Amino acid sequence: MRIRSLGVIDDAVVELSPGFTAVTGETGAGKTMVVTSLGLLLGGRADPALVRIGAASAVVEGRISVAPGASAAVRAEEAGAELDDGVLLVSRTISAEGRSRAHLGGRSVPVGLLAELADELVAVHGQTDQQGLLKPARQRGALDRYAGDAVAVPLAAYGEAYRRLRAVVTELDEITTRARERAQEADLLRFGLGEIEAVEPLPGEDVELAAEAERLGHAEALASAAALAHGALVGDPEDPESVDATTLVAGAGRALDAVRSHDPALAALADRIGEISILLADVAGELAGYADDLDADPRRLAVVEERRAALTQLTRKYGEDVSAVLAWAQESAARLTELEGDDDRIGELETERDALRAELSVLAQALTDARTEAAARFADAVTAELASLAMPHARVSFDIRQTESVDEASGVEVGGRSVAYGPSGADEVELLLAPHPGAPPRPIAKGASGGELSRVMLAVEVVFAGTDPVPTYLFDEVDAGVGGKAAVEIGRRLAKLAKSAQVVVVTHLPQVAAFADRQLLVEKTSDGSVTRSGVTVLEGEDRVRELSRMLAGQEDSETARAHAEELLATARADG
């Protein structure tokens, strides 16, 4: 990894070995920034406070070896990333303003993709993970992870049935608790639909009636205007000397027809006058028909106004016009059908609820059985690991229990009892530790010291490594609270884990660091920053001096040097 402008680190390169790398240094020297950097490359949260004061941004770049064909490689290539001979280049940039960018294999990608790949590439463990292991829900998750498909398959089916049951119960509660409100709503809908049905409005009827009312209200004026216009076009039969438009236009046409052969332009005008004559005749005919058809019956006007009043009553309540009223009626009829079907729906939902509870009982029992079987194997494997971590008499076990439900209707049946259940089944899982013979098993939150908890955590991770391996493990001071022989055993066990995976450990313990294949020292310069020369690979005499400092706080102490050389010799002998 290359780290720039992150925390106390100005610009440094961290070279991790394929096996076991120990990162050491004085408190506050920046060792944690190595863990933070890796976390950023794995999609961790970007905190602008991490950017070094005075810098515009912090940048972390890394090279990750990925096995060809591995799911992580396939997913990266699907995102457009390019692998360079099995190596994936990853970078993360954080601006001082809080913006974050991620690149994978030369392609800009969402940060979430890095987090997605992280689950398959690196397992990160630190003090917060130890605290997380104290929570029963995390302990159940750890057991389920160890059990694999034996739990994952029924758990997936259980989760689907559980979510459906929650939806069914919610709908049932809504229907039953709101029964009065729904009955009132149904009555209002019936009343409204009854009013609309009594009137029987037709689409667009209000517009047509408004036009008819306007015509009927001015019938006399319309008839008079039509008669005058008709007379102006065709003349008054009772007045032979009257002049009308039809006669005048006809005369004009005849005058032009007499000379049209002498000039095409005039012939064209004659044709247009002919068209006017035809149009005048058509209009005159329609005016005559209009006057004959015009209904001036006041009784018809009364009928129209009465009908319009009935429609207005509807549009005041149910829509701005008849079309909106009809749309309201259609929607309300559908809603009324739904409300009137409540009784049938309640029966259907109750039947589905009972079937789902029965299904959950079967699946919850299957989960309990699978967890119980896996718990015995998991506990034995962790107990065996603790023996190699200087806890030879410690015993780990699981307490898998269920809580009685408040009443039979609110639980599922497991083991012949009605028990409470949740999204992950009916089991409460708790990891117990008996640190020595005769000690009663107690929850690790109460029965384990800090050093014991560190070793339990490491033992759990080692067991996971055999069932769900990842290429790299990062431990951030999980050896806190441990010393002496236990520290040596932790170093020995980490070295053993490093034979099948890459292991990176940030540690204060020389007993652990001595077992590393490579030891990195993080040092600050005089101005309080870590530069390229501030992260060095320790070899030979330099490594002895650092182990001496870690042992006694004095690099030149002869006693500490002798002890450091002895630790290195022990580690090499084990290797």
Side-chain angles (χ1 to χ4, degrees):
M1 289 189 299
R2 183 180 182 185
I3 310 166
R4 286 178 287 173
S5 301
L6 188 74
V8 298
I9 297 180
D10 178 26
D11 190 345
V13 175
V14 180
E15 298 180 11
L16 305 176
S17 75
F20 180 3
T21 300
V23 181
T24 63
E26 293 278 7
T27 300
K31 301 187 300 300
T32 301
M33 285 297 105
V34 175
V35 179
T36 302
S37 299
L38 187 54
L40 289 171
L41 288 182
L42 300 175
R45 187 177 68 88
D47 184 353
L50 295 172
V51 179
R52 184 170 172 77
I53 296 174
S57 62
V59 181
V60 183
E61 300 166 303
R63 294 167 53 88
I64 302 178
S65 296
V66 183
S71 56
V74 173
R75 182 69 186 89
E77 289 175 337
E78 288 176 350
E82 295 184 3
L83 273 73
D84 183 9
D85 198 19
V87 173
L88 197 57
L89 300 180
V90 188
S91 71
R92 185 83 181 274
T93 303
I94 309 168
S95 72
E97 292 79 25
R99 293 187 301 275
S100 171
R101 297 194 309 274
H103 289 81
L104 182 69
R107 177 66 60 89
S108 178
V109 296
V111 173
L113 178 60
L114 300 186
E116 184 181 331
L117 298 180
D119 291 337
E120 302 176 28
L121 297 174
V122 181
V124 181
H125 297 286
Q127 295 289 329
T128 55
D129 297 277
Q130 291 186 9
Q131 297 303 314
L133 191 62
L134 300 181
K135 299 176 182 177
R138 286 286 298 274
Q139 294 170 15
R140 181 178 58 208
L143 176 60
D144 289 354
R145 175 184 163 197
Y146 177 80
D149 288 345
V151 166
V153 173
L155 184 58
Y158 177 95
E160 184 176 344
Y162 178 84
R163 288 187 291 274
R164 177 56 191 159
L165 178 59
R166 291 295 90 200
V168 167
V169 170
T170 299
E171 187 175 350
L172 259 176
D173 289 344
E174 180 188 355
I175 292 176
T176 54
T177 59
R178 293 184 55 213
R180 179 178 299 175
E181 295 176 22
R182 295 166 75 90
Q184 292 173 346
E185 182 185 356
D187 284 344
L188 289 173
L189 292 176
R190 288 192 197 95
F191 179 79
L193 290 170
E195 283 195 319
I196 296 172
E197 185 178 355
V199 175
E200 295 183 345
L202 300 174
E205 184 181 4
D206 50 344
V207 177
E208 294 176 4
L209 288 174
E212 186 177 359
E214 182 73 13
R215 188 167 61 251
L216 289 170
H218 299 84
E220 291 185 7
L222 293 173
S224 176
L228 287 173
H230 183 268
L233 291 179
V234 298
D236 185 352
E238 296 180 0
D239 183 6
E241 296 183 1
S242 63
V243 179
D244 60 85
T246 302
T247 301
L248 293 174
V249 171
R254 286 193 297 273
L256 294 180
D257 282 339
V259 294
R260 65 180 298 155
S261 60
H262 303 302
D263 187 353
L266 199 62
L269 292 174
D271 291 339
R272 290 171 65 184
I273 290 177
E275 293 172 0
I276 292 173
S277 296
I278 295 171
L279 182 60
L280 285 175
D282 288 344
V283 172
E286 290 184 21
L287 284 172
Y290 177 83
D292 292 340
D293 294 340
L294 186 63
D295 187 357
D297 187 355
R299 288 174 298 181
R300 173 57 186 167
L301 179 58
V303 170
V304 169
E305 292 296 352
E306 182 179 353
R307 179 65 176 172
R308 291 184 70 200
L311 294 178
T312 300
Q313 289 292 327
L314 297 182
T315 55
R316 284 176 181 169
K317 295 181 180 180
Y318 308 113
E320 59 185 24
D321 54 29
V322 168
S323 296
V325 170
L326 293 173
W328 181 91
Q330 184 176 4
E331 294 171 2
S332 298
R335 175 60 175 165
L336 184 59
T337 300
E338 178 185 337
L339 293 172
E340 290 177 334
D342 276 356
D343 291 342
D344 294 338
R345 182 59 178 158
I346 287 174
E348 293 173 0
L349 290 172
E350 288 177 341
T351 300
E352 185 177 5
R353 178 198 60 194
D354 295 341
L356 286 167
R357 279 188 175 150
E359 182 182 356
L360 284 180
S361 293
V362 173
L363 292 169
Q365 184 67 64
L367 286 172
T368 298
D369 294 343
R371 284 168 175 156
T372 301
E373 187 278 331
R377 292 187 291 109
F378 193 13
D380 288 345
V382 174
T383 297
E385 283 298 327
L386 289 177
S388 67
L389 293 174
M391 294 178 67
H393 304 297
R395 293 290 180 271
V396 167
S397 60
F398 278 96
D399 178 20
I400 300 178
R401 60 186 182 275
Q402 298 82 33
T403 302
E404 296 283 347
S405 59
V406 177
D407 57 76
E408 186 174 346
S410 64
V412 296
E413 185 175 324
V414 176
R417 299 179 300 140
S418 179
V419 299
Y421 63 98
S424 298
D427 302 319
E428 297 175 26
V429 177
E430 196 160 30
L431 186 61
L432 308 179
L433 173 68
H436 52 80
R442 299 182 63 195
I444 58 172
K446 301 175 181 177
S449 65
E452 288 171 340
L453 183 58
S454 294
R455 282 177 279 176
V456 171
M457 182 67 194
L458 178 57
V460 167
E461 203 51 58
V462 169
V463 170
F464 278 146
T467 59
D468 185 22
V470 293
T472 300
Y473 292 87
L474 173 62
F475 295 93
D476 182 16
E477 299 188 15
V478 293
D479 49 18
V482 178
K485 181 180 178 182
V488 173
E489 294 303 330
I490 287 178
R492 183 175 284 121
R493 194 61 191 86
L494 288 169
K496 183 178 179 182
L497 179 61
K499 293 184 182 301
S500 58
Q502 183 183 39
V503 176
V504 182
V505 179
V506 177
T507 182
H508 287 288
L509 293 180
Q511 297 95 327
V512 172
F515 281 88
D517 299 308
R518 171 177 289 180
Q519 183 172 347
L520 299 180
L521 174 63
V522 181
E523 289 181 299
K524 288 183 180 179
T525 60
S526 57
D527 65 357
S529 66
V530 177
T531 62
R532 278 181 179 271
S533 60
V535 181
T536 55
V537 179
L538 298 179
E539 295 177 349
E541 180 62 24
D542 291 335
R543 189 171 186 186
V544 173
R545 284 175 58 83
E546 172 62 7
L547 291 175
S548 300
R549 181 199 64 76
M550 296 172 71
L551 281 163
Q554 299 175 346
E555 296 91 334
D556 298 323
S557 167
E558 289 301 324
T559 302
R561 286 179 56 82
H563 192 182
E565 290 172 349
E566 183 181 356
L567 279 175
L568 287 170
T570 300
R572 292 191 186 101
D574 281 3

